[in-house]
Amino acid sequence: MMGIANILSYDTIKLVLTKRQIPATDFIAHTSKYIEVDHIHSNHARVQGIVRNFRVIATPKCIKVEGSVAKFVHGDNFRSVTLSEMEQTLQTLSSMLHLPLDQAILSRVDIGCNLKVDHFPELYFDYLGTLPKFSRRIYGNSSLYYENRTCTMVFYDKVKEEVMRNPLFSGGWGFENVIRYEVRLVRAGVRSLLKSEPNPTGAALYNPTFYQALCANAADLYASIVKINSSPLSFLFEDVGNATDFLDRCVCYANRHIDLEGELKRRFRNREQASPNDVAKHYQLRRRIKKALARAGEFCHTQKLEQELDQKIRQVFEAPTLSVT
């Protein structure tokens, strides 16, 4: 059975070398010697290719190296990467490319973990509401994104992602429901982490202080999400006793967006054809709405899924930091 990362661990990084770091180097000629060149996307002004699972792009002004550290070390991002493995990865890539990547500008860094959960991942997204200064988007019912100019926080169905990549994937690590949680920072976000290190380089990636700042930032972001623990339609199927329970939940949910009694009253007043039974029907409908709304408290307490997700995220942030060895 395959283990998973239960602490925040490095995933994708992006490093950029410029003439400031290595001024006397012909970037295109140099890089072409050490990568598997992609001739379709290369020309006289740039060369693109790969070294292992890292994409490398060289132009006359810079060299960009981008890829997943976890996949470089383990072949997947289910398992965590220690700081010593991070350092070794940088040294190995530097040797393969004959470049001082520890001096390169750190222009992107992702950290993430995999959370084993009891239910389908998308069911948990209902409990994660808005995040100040971020836009919230759901893609394909299986990915929840919080995005702004410097940072992206993502929750997505890890199993579904793997199945899309490999239809024969069967979840060989022993369970079926996994939420992948990631925080992705671009250069401006990276620079804001530590006042003592406003221009982090590749060497920062194996610095415990920098890693701890990444974790603290991720914890602050998650804590700032407005949790939606009172949605009448956030429930498990087994929580519904009968059709009345479900319809009452729908009434409570709809009343958040529409004044149901007020709308019913307007329809009653503006009816086109009056009937002797209209007053009684209006009264019965109003009474039914009131009866359903009286159950709102029953439907709007903290739910099991919210408690589970909060507990597992909290365990991630309380876990010991990555080992240096």
Side-chain angles (χ1 to χ4, degrees):
M1 183 182 296
M2 185 185 297
I4 62 168
N6 60 357
I7 57 176
L8 288 170
S9 178
Y10 286 116
D11 195 357
T12 298
I13 62 170
K14 183 177 181 180
L15 300 165
V16 181
L17 281 165
T18 69
K19 293 293 184 180
R20 178 173 297 181
Q21 288 82 36
I22 42 177
T25 303
D26 182 331
F27 287 161
I28 293 178
H30 176 92
T31 303
S32 299
K33 295 186 292 184
Y34 303 113
I35 66 172
E36 182 181 337
V37 176
D38 177 356
H39 295 285
I40 294 176
H41 296 97
S42 301
N43 52 47
H44 70 281
R46 60 175 267 162
V47 63
Q48 178 173 321
I50 59 171
V51 56
R52 294 271 294 271
N53 65 304
F54 274 74
R55 184 178 64 170
V56 183
I57 298 175
T59 69
K61 295 184 178 181
C62 69
I63 301 173
K64 300 176 183 178
V65 181
E66 182 174 13
S68 169
V69 178
K71 292 178 182 178
F72 186 90
V73 175
H74 299 298
D76 59 63
N77 60 2
F78 291 105
R79 289 164 283 186
S80 61
V81 177
T82 66
L83 295 186
S84 61
E85 286 172 332
M86 179 67 254
E87 183 176 10
Q88 183 59 50
T89 296
L90 213 59
Q91 291 175 354
T92 301
L93 282 170
S94 295
S95 297
M96 296 173 76
L97 294 169
H98 296 264
L99 294 170
L101 293 180
D102 59 334
Q103 301 175 29
I105 298 166
L106 184 57
S107 66
R108 172 181 171 178
V109 59
D110 299 1
I111 57 171
C113 64
N114 301 297
L115 303 170
K116 178 185 174 181
V117 292
D118 297 335
H119 305 279
F120 293 119
E122 58 267 26
L123 295 178
Y124 297 81
F125 299 164
D126 288 341
Y127 302 104
L128 301 174
T130 59
L131 177 62
K133 299 181 181 179
F134 283 73
S135 60
R136 181 186 187 276
R137 295 185 177 89
I138 292 181
Y139 296 99
N141 293 324
S142 61
S143 302
L144 171 60
Y145 278 69
Y146 294 91
E147 301 170 294
N148 68 14
R149 185 178 58 85
T150 64
C151 176
T152 300
M153 181 163 52
V154 189
F155 301 83
Y156 64 87
D157 187 331
K158 181 62 178 172
V159 175
K160 185 174 289 188
E161 180 205 45
E162 293 297 327
V163 170
M164 288 178 65
R165 292 180 176 178
N166 177 14
L168 299 178
F169 179 80
S170 60
W173 61 91
F175 41 82
E176 297 180 351
N177 300 313
V178 182
I179 293 177
R180 176 71 178 173
Y181 167 59
E182 293 182 2
V183 175
R184 306 168 181 172
L185 297 176
V186 297
R187 187 181 180 191
V190 173
R191 294 181 64 183
S192 66
L193 282 175
L194 288 175
K195 292 182 179 179
S196 60
E197 196 168 359
N199 293 295
T201 64
L205 292 167
Y206 48 87
N207 180 334
T209 302
F210 181 78
Y211 167 73
Q212 291 163 5
L214 284 170
C215 293
N217 178 67
D220 289 344
L221 286 172
Y222 179 78
S224 298
I225 297 175
V226 177
K227 308 303 188 297
I228 304 175
N229 58 7
S230 57
S231 173
L233 292 185
S234 296
F235 62 91
L236 299 176
F237 184 79
E238 52 267 33
D239 293 333
V240 180
N242 50 44
T244 300
D245 280 350
F246 180 70
L247 293 175
D248 285 353
R249 286 178 179 273
C250 292
V251 169
C252 291
Y253 181 82
N255 197 64
R256 292 183 167 203
H257 305 279
I258 303 171
D259 177 7
L260 290 178
E261 289 191 76
E263 187 65 26
L264 178 65
K265 187 175 183 179
R266 283 189 291 274
R267 301 298 174 112
F268 172 71
R269 286 180 173 177
N270 296 320
R271 62 195 190 280
E272 294 182 358
Q273 296 180 349
S275 163
N277 296 325
D278 285 351
V279 173
K281 183 166 71 172
H282 179 237
Y283 170 77
Q284 290 170 358
L285 289 172
R286 284 185 59 204
R287 185 180 178 185
R288 186 66 188 86
I289 291 172
K290 287 179 179 293
K291 185 176 180 180
L293 294 180
R295 301 185 67 190
E298 176 185 343
F299 302 140
C300 298
H301 55 276
T302 300
Q303 304 291 328
K304 296 177 184 177
L305 271 68
E306 181 198 0
Q307 293 173 342
E308 179 198 354
L309 183 60
D310 266 354
Q311 180 182 17
K312 289 178 176 177
I313 290 283
R314 190 163 54 248
Q315 288 172 350
V316 168
F317 294 134
E318 292 174 352
T321 57
L322 283 179
S323 171
V324 177
T325 59

